[in-house]
Amino acid sequence: MAQTLTILGLESSCDDTAAAVVRQTGDGQAQVLSSVVFGQTELHSAYGGVVPEIAARAHVEKLDLCVVQALDEAALGLQDLDAVAVTAGPGLIGGVMSGVMCAKGLSAATGLPLIGVNHLAGHALTPRLTDGIAFPYLMLLVSGGHCQYLIAHGPESFTRLGGTIDDAPGEAFDKTARLLGLPQPGGPSVEAESQGGDPKRFRFPRPLLDRPDCNLSFSGLKTALMRVRDQIVAEKGGLTRQDRADLCAGFQQAVVDTLAEKTRRALRLYMAENPSEPAVAVAGGVAANTAIRATLETVCAEQGARFTAPPLKLCTDNAAMIAYAGLERFRAGARDGLDLTARPRWPLDQSSPSMLGSGKKGAKA
Ligand code: KG4
Ligand code: ZN
């Protein structure tokens, strides 16, 4: 039986400072012993987006507190750990460097092995941590900074089938909320507002559905919404509550329809290569959207695939996913030295061409 491993994970690639302890026993059962996340929403709220410099400073201030709290909550000390895993990219470089430096300090002081983790691999491996899902599976990452379809073959082996060529869907939700004067983060406010809305009153574009591939685009959707908003304001002098609800419902329906169709295509491609017991997993903050989740579930059921969505707190940015991804690398024999570098870009699938978009996390990996 394999050895029990206990790993400390650190995450600081965007606007969440996080530390967590994950343990996996020899029988393969993994458990999150603690997962601490210090958000920075209020620090950035006046600027309408994440300010990299403010984020990096806040990470530096909070990382050590976060580590202490994660160890306390797990009732463990540094001597009980087998390794320290840290997000080494992709992300906002100042934040990634803060985490990498903190992890190097811990490793140098204790002698614990250091493991650099790709943030996207953290998201993509989460269904293995939460549901023990076996390789291979099809992964859809949808958040404020990411949007891609990946086939996960192994802890460090991914094939990208497609992704956004501009904004990520969470970014589109956030920008839509801003255009309509709704609070941030935009996803939950747009979803709540769309409850009383008519999704058919405004027909927004379903971008790139005319192309056969799995790429997506969301920036035109936001421009189309702005045009309709301006037209209503010009005609009536402002938006009624119903106008706002209908705009939100129309926007959300366009995102739902686009993700449904592209998921259908990605699943067909995936199943052509992996026909037995197909499995699909979703992660990222946008996976919290009830309409999107329900639609993805239906698409999977139509094609006979198992659908997994990790609990929300492990879908959004956290360090448990980094500890777990580090654990998988550690088991496979990977070790990093004190020369580990922070990388702003780090595509999971090195062989596929880089995407064009540049979102709040910097260039899309
Ligand atoms: O994964 P996450 O916490 O951070 C990033 O890596 O970006 O995702 C945050 C994103 C935000 O853009 C937020 O508006 C979006 O996820 N989001 C939602 C919902 N809840 C959060 N989007 C649509 N519907 C939701 N219910
Ligand atoms: Zn993320």
Side-chain angles (χ1 to χ4, degrees), residues 69-281:
Q69 194 173 325
L71 288 171
D72 279 355
E73 287 182 17
L76 296 175
L78 288 168
Q79 71 283 355
D80 302 310
L81 302 173
D82 293 292
V84 179
V86 61
T87 300
L92 298 173
I93 193 64
V96 180
M97 281 169 69
S98 312
V100 167
M101 293 311 289
C102 179
K104 283 183 182 176
L106 286 168
S107 168
T110 57
L112 285 168
L114 177 68
I115 312 286
V117 169
N118 183 311
H119 177 88
L120 302 173
H123 279 302
L125 297 174
T126 303
R128 292 176 52 75
L129 164 65
T130 56
D131 295 79
I133 171 169
F135 293 120
Y137 54 91
L138 176 67
M139 182 77 212
L140 168 58
L141 284 186
V142 268
S143 73
H146 328 294
C147 180
Q148 47 189 304
Y149 290 100
L150 295 162
I151 300 176
H153 307 282
E156 297 194 72
S157 171
F158 300 93
T159 305
R160 188 175 64 198
L161 299 178
T164 184
I165 60 163
D166 41 54
D167 291 353
E171 244 176 317
F173 270 97
D174 295 343
K175 288 177 180 170
T176 293
R178 223 167 284 136
L179 288 171
L180 298 177
L182 298 169
Q184 295 293 319
S189 6
V190 170
E191 179 172 16
E193 199 69 26
S194 70
Q195 298 292 321
D198 172 8
K200 298 210 179 77
R201 179 169 158 208
F202 304 110
R203 169 90 191 166
F204 292 116
R206 272 68 174 154
L208 301 191
L209 284 195
D210 53 333
R211 297 208 211 146
D213 58 29
C214 299
N215 287 335
L216 303 109
S217 160
F218 293 101
S219 72
L221 192 49
K222 157 205 76 197
T223 313
L225 182 126
M226 186 165 66
R227 224 174 280 132
V228 176
R229 178 204 66 176
D230 290 349
Q231 201 182 332
I232 299 174
V233 171
E235 281 167 13
K236 303 200 291 196
L239 296 178
T240 63
R241 185 129 203 192
Q242 193 59 48
D243 291 334
R244 199 175 285 126
D246 292 345
L247 285 166
C248 285
F251 163 83
Q252 183 173 278
Q253 194 58 48
V255 177
V256 165
D257 289 351
T258 307
L259 285 173
E261 181 52 29
K262 292 289 175 167
T263 302
R264 228 170 257 130
R265 290 179 198 178
L267 192 47
R268 251 182 254 130
L269 280 176
Y270 170 78
M271 286 174 73
E273 301 282 318
N274 307 276
S276 84
E277 299 183 32
V280 179

